[in-house]
Amino acid sequence: MALSLLMAVLWGGSQAQSLGFSLRVQREVTVQEGLCVHVPCTLFYPPHGWTEDTPALGYWFLAGTDTTTGRPVATNKQDREVQARSQGRFQLTGDPRNYSCSLLIRDVRAEDKGQYIFRVERGGYVRYNFQESPLNLKVTALTQKPDVYVPETLDSGRQATLICVFNWAFEECPAPTFSWMGAAVTPQEPGPKSSYFSVLSLTPRPRDHGTQLTCRVDFSRKGVSAETTVQLNVTYAPKDLVISVSRARVSAPQPQGNSPYLEAQKGQFLQLLCAAESQPPATLSWALEDRILSWSHPWSPRPLALLLPGVRPGDSGRYTCRAENRLGSQNRTLNLSVQYAPENLRVMALEANRTVLENLGNYKSLPVLEGQSLRLLCVAHSNPPARLSWALGGQTLSPSQPADPSILELPQIQTEHEGVLTCQAQNSLGSQNISLYLSVVYPPRLLSPSCSWEGEGLRCTCSSRARPAPTLRWRLGEGLLEGNHSNASLTVNSSSAGPWANSSLNLTGPLGSDLRLSCEARNVHGAQSAAVLVLLPDKKELLSKAFYNGTFLGMGILTLLFLCLILVMKALRKKQTPTGTPAQAGTPPKPRPTRRSTILDYINVVPNPGPPARNRKATPSSPSQASPPGAPSGECKKNQKERQAAPHTCPGPRSFTQVSESQNHQEELHYAALTFSGPRPWQTRESKDTGTEYEDIRFH
């Protein structure tokens, strides 16, 4: 028997198999340094020389070791010493009683490489070295790393689960130690573990995006480990939105900071940049008020620029930069104020309720009716707001509403308001003004016409002042004379200079006793007329005409009574004044009748204060009442320059003075006063008694 076993060892596997010994093991095993490897192994030995109770011993020896006296690397015999370098690392995990010879090697080292053979011992017959079936162990450098599984997206603030797996070949290998390292990892309870994986629960933050996360696997031998590092891709809503401003093409943008206000001058270069942090990249947009100006694409995460090469007043407003992705949005507002000097200055005429009547341009003439009110509004575009002021003819006007100096209110326009009216708008960047010519217009003011005899004809003059200049016309009876006329019986000459209009009427030939004559002045603002009812008798029949107007007897008696009264009064005056005593100083001499004098020389037609009391009606006073005979009119006193332009406006002594009437009223009857300087016979003669005085005779 011993001889047969010895022969089997010497002859090899074929002979061993023929003796009933065999072993199945992987001929070559490659393992990385530091790792663990489990080598399955089975064997068969003949059932000779042992019973079920006989212990079975197994040994793994490094090839070349004396299996009788040498130390194995692993054995199940308790009292058999093993090699020091393999102690605790090599373990015979198989039980030879069950025909198993599996080997576990922990923390493989480079010096562990080589061939290993197995020896079995059971009873007196089974003592066999399986030389024919060695295990060839190869050791390589450690290259295996753990696998880290991270969700495709990590949403900020939302908990996620990460797994680190290290693939062991055999479950019999001891579990390595897992550890997680990185900025996103916070101290926490370790997650579930097994022999080959580790779980990490992580709540990422926006700042964790792009940071490193490492899973490390440590093995039993100190200094031997494997690790895998991944970069975290954390998605989050836009944050840290920043607006930067560049005021020149070559200057670097400067952050606006926390101020929401930005000032720029008109025409200045301006560039606004908007940038925000987000994952995935946000869509950026610029909007003015509610109008989108520009936007970016998500695949272009660069700052979004808004270029204003020359800002204008219309660019002022609220600019909003908005960053948005699927997780949320963020925006920031910038209020741009474009500063500029006053411009687009204009003046508008207003009604009392501020309704705009007219827009007035620069240097425009503004006609206003005298006595009316005027309300003007001055408006200008400027930033900062302009200070508004009004001036008339170089003199500053006080605003009627101090809280709103843009409104100028003149409650009653007078002629002295006429002139250049200027509104000025001024701020720190400049000023602008607009000027208007305020022209005061008024209806005609008719001066009392005058008439006088010249030779065989009657000459009448009429003057009027108005703005615009009036037109004059004569009404003779039922006829109307306008402009310049000339024929055998009448001549009309009209002229104008500035606000004055003058007209003269010459009548020749026989004149009817019922002659009616009036002068009319008219412009777009109104009309005025002056009329007189004049009795114009023939020279030779003047007295007879007067006596035959009433009953002859009544008139004669009335005349005699007046003559008697005159004689009595004369006698009384002679007693009071000595004959030949000179007249009191300053007393005008009485007119003396001459041969050339006629009754017309003593007739003055003056306005009667009114009809008899019982027939009198209240009428508005005319603005152009007649002046006393021989006295200069009020118009002549007020404006000497205009009097020079209107030579007929200041007549001397007149034979006829006419009353002004409004065209809107019917003409009233005027009464004439007949004045006799003294009685004389029908045939004219020289007066011998120069001291004789006469009383006035008036007819009403």
Side-chain angles (χ1 to χ4, degrees):
M1 174 66 74
L3 181 60
S4 62
L5 290 175
L6 179 61
M7 294 299 294
V9 172
L10 295 176
W11 291 342
S14 59
Q15 293 179 356
Q17 290 178 358
S18 64
L19 294 176
F21 292 90
S22 65
L23 185 141
R24 289 185 178 181
V25 68
Q26 187 175 350
R27 290 300 179 96
E28 183 176 294
V29 175
T30 302
V31 62
Q32 296 183 22
E33 184 180 8
L35 299 185
C36 169
V37 61
H38 182 264
V39 182
C41 178
T42 60
L43 78 160
F44 185 79
Y45 49 86
H48 299 292
W50 56 272
T51 65
E52 290 294 332
D53 296 330
T54 303
L57 301 176
Y59 308 87
W60 280 101
F61 289 93
L62 183 63
T65 305
D66 185 357
T67 60
T68 303
T69 61
R71 295 181 179 184
V73 294
T75 181
N76 62 346
K77 187 177 181 180
Q78 299 297 329
D79 57 351
R80 182 73 177 264
E81 292 184 359
V82 297
Q83 294 187 14
R85 65 182 182 86
S86 64
Q87 188 175 4
R89 299 188 303 111
F90 284 72
Q91 179 182 358
L92 177 62
T93 59
D95 186 358
R97 290 184 306 170
N98 299 327
Y99 305 100
S100 176
C101 54
S102 297
L103 176 67
L104 176 65
I105 305 176
R106 302 183 182 92
D107 190 16
V108 176
R109 302 175 183 177
E111 59 266 26
D112 294 337
K113 65 180 179 179
Q115 284 188 343
Y116 294 87
I117 61 173
F118 184 74
R119 175 180 172 79
V120 64
E121 294 179 357
R122 189 173 191 182
Y125 178 76
V126 179
R127 294 182 180 271
Y128 187 77
N129 295 331
F130 293 92
Q131 299 269 354
E132 70 284 1
S133 301
L135 169 64
N136 189 14
L137 180 64
K138 289 186 176 182
V139 180
T140 62
L142 180 60
T143 58
Q144 183 178 347
K145 296 181 180 297
D147 295 321
V148 179
Y149 295 94
V150 182
E152 183 177 355
T153 58
L154 293 173
D155 293 340
S156 175
R158 181 178 298 177
Q159 190 178 61
T161 299
L162 285 72
I163 301 176
C164 181
V165 177
F166 192 84
N167 290 320
W168 288 101
F170 308 100
E171 293 183 0
E172 291 81 357
C173 292
T177 303
F178 288 86
S179 60
W180 295 89
M181 297 172 290
V185 179
T186 57
Q188 58 183 344
E189 293 291 332
K193 292 183 180 179
S194 70
S195 59
Y196 58 91
F197 70 89
S198 175
V199 177
L200 174 67
S201 295
L202 177 68
T203 302
R205 299 156 296 184
R207 66 170 179 266
D208 296 332
H209 175 70
T211 60
Q212 305 289 330
L213 179 66
T214 300
C215 176
R216 182 172 179 174
V217 179
D218 289 301
F219 303 100
S220 57
R221 186 160 63 95
K222 187 176 181 179
V224 177
S225 63
E227 62 183 30
T228 298
T229 300
V230 295
Q231 188 176 35
L232 297 182
N233 182 23
V234 181
T235 60
Y236 53 93
K239 68 182 187 70
D240 299 336
L241 192 148
V242 177
I243 294 178
S244 301
V245 180
S246 177
R247 297 180 181 269
R249 295 182 182 274
V250 295
S251 65
Q254 299 296 325
Q256 177 64 16
N258 296 325
S259 175
Y261 301 101
L262 177 64
E263 293 182 353
Q265 291 191 9
K266 180 181 177 182
Q268 183 179 0
F269 174 87
L270 204 62
Q271 185 180 40
L272 307 179
L273 293 176
C274 176
E277 293 185 14
S278 65
Q279 183 62 29
T283 298
L284 302 175
S285 63
W286 276 108
L288 175 57
E289 303 301 339
D290 297 327
R291 179 167 55 95
I292 301 297
L293 301 178
S294 63
W295 62 89
S296 68
H297 297 286
W299 55 82
S300 178
R302 295 174 299 175
L304 179 62
L306 179 63
L307 185 63
L308 302 173
V311 293
R312 300 169 296 174
D315 294 330
S316 296
R318 185 181 72 253
Y319 287 81
T320 302
C321 175
R322 181 181 179 88
E324 184 176 10
N325 65 7
R326 63 178 179 84
L327 298 175
S329 64
Q330 188 180 29
N331 61 68
R332 187 172 178 186
T333 298
L334 187 65
N335 294 299
L336 175 62
S337 175
V338 179
Q339 298 185 337
Y340 56 98
E343 60 184 32
N344 298 332
L345 184 64
R346 63 188 185 277
V347 173
M348 293 172 284
L350 302 179
E351 285 186 348
N353 59 359
R354 294 202 174 191
T355 301
V356 177
L357 295 176
E358 184 181 2
N359 285 316
L360 306 173
N362 200 13
Y363 301 112
K364 183 174 181 179
S365 177
L366 177 61
V368 182
L369 189 62
E370 184 180 20
Q372 288 190 345
S373 63
L374 178 64
R375 183 189 293 260
L376 298 177
L377 173 65
C378 186
V379 179
H381 294 162
S382 65
N383 190 22
R387 300 184 301 275
L388 298 173
S389 61
W390 290 92
L392 178 60
Q395 183 178 1
T396 302
L397 301 177
S398 299
S400 54
Q401 303 178 21
D404 189 3
S406 63
I407 294 181
L408 175 65
E409 197 168 5
L410 300 175
Q412 191 171 11
I413 295 294
Q414 303 296 331
T415 54
E416 56 265 23
H417 290 147
E418 188 168 84
V420 177
L421 185 64
T422 302
C423 174
Q424 184 181 44
Q426 184 175 12
N427 66 5
S428 58
L429 300 176
S431 65
Q432 190 180 29
N433 58 65
I434 185 171
S435 296
L436 306 172
Y437 183 75
L438 182 59
S439 174
V440 181
V441 298
Y442 46 89
R445 298 170 181 171
L446 189 65
L447 300 185
S448 299
S450 64
C451 295
S452 62
W453 282 103
E454 292 185 1
E456 298 297 326
L458 181 65
R459 175 180 175 81
C460 297
T461 61
C462 181
S463 297
S464 176
R465 179 186 179 192
R467 179 164 292 171
T471 57
L472 294 176
R473 62 184 183 180
W474 295 91
R475 187 176 295 276
L476 183 60
E478 300 298 330
L480 188 63
L481 305 176
E482 293 186 87
N484 294 324
H485 290 274
S486 179
N487 55 32
S489 61
L490 63 87
T491 302
V492 177
N493 290 316
S494 299
S495 63
S496 63
W500 288 97
N502 306 303
S503 184
S504 64
L505 172 65
N506 292 322
L507 295 175
T508 58
L511 301 176
S513 60
D514 57 348
L515 177 64
R516 288 181 298 166
L517 182 64
S518 65
C519 177
E520 297 180 3
R522 179 186 303 272
N523 70 359
V524 295
H525 301 293
Q528 196 175 36
S529 65
V532 62
L533 182 60
V534 183
L535 182 63
L536 296 175
D538 185 75
K539 293 181 180 181
K540 295 181 180 182
E541 300 177 358
L542 183 58
L543 291 177
S544 60
K545 292 277 186 180
F547 283 103
Y548 284 107
N549 281 336
T551 61
F552 178 78
L553 181 59
M555 290 296 293
I557 294 173
L558 184 61
T559 302
L560 290 175
L561 290 175
F562 273 98
L563 289 176
C564 293
L565 181 61
I566 291 172
L567 293 175
V568 173
M569 293 182 68
K570 176 186 176 188
L572 292 175
R573 289 182 181 178
K574 283 185 177 182
K575 290 180 181 181
Q576 295 175 1
T577 303
T579 305
T581 303
Q584 187 177 358
T587 302
K590 298 293 183 178
R592 297 180 180 179
T594 63
R595 292 183 180 275
R596 296 185 301 273
S597 299
T598 67
I599 194 170
L600 292 177
D601 297 328
Y602 304 96
I603 296 176
N604 288 326
V605 181
V606 297
N608 194 334
R614 64 177 178 270
N615 298 327
R616 184 178 306 166
K617 295 182 180 179
T619 58
S621 60
S622 172
S624 303
Q625 291 186 352
S627 302
S633 66
E635 292 292 335
C636 298
K637 292 180 180 180
K638 185 164 69 173
N639 197 329
Q640 294 296 334
K641 293 183 179 180
E642 293 180 349
R643 187 176 62 181
Q644 295 174 3
H648 298 292
T649 60
C650 303
R654 295 169 296 194
S655 299
F656 299 95
T657 305
Q658 302 180 356
V659 180
S660 301
E661 292 183 350
S662 172
Q663 190 182 30
N664 297 328
H665 299 80
Q666 296 181 354
E667 295 183 356
E668 297 179 356
L669 180 62
H670 294 265
Y671 296 85
L674 182 61
T675 303
F676 293 91
S677 298
R680 62 173 180 259
W682 181 252
Q683 299 295 331
T684 59
R685 65 177 183 269
E686 294 291 336
S687 176
K688 294 181 180 180
D689 189 1
T690 59
T692 304
E693 296 183 0
Y694 302 92
E695 288 296 328
D696 293 338
I697 300 175
R698 298 178 179 269
F699 294 90
H700 297 284

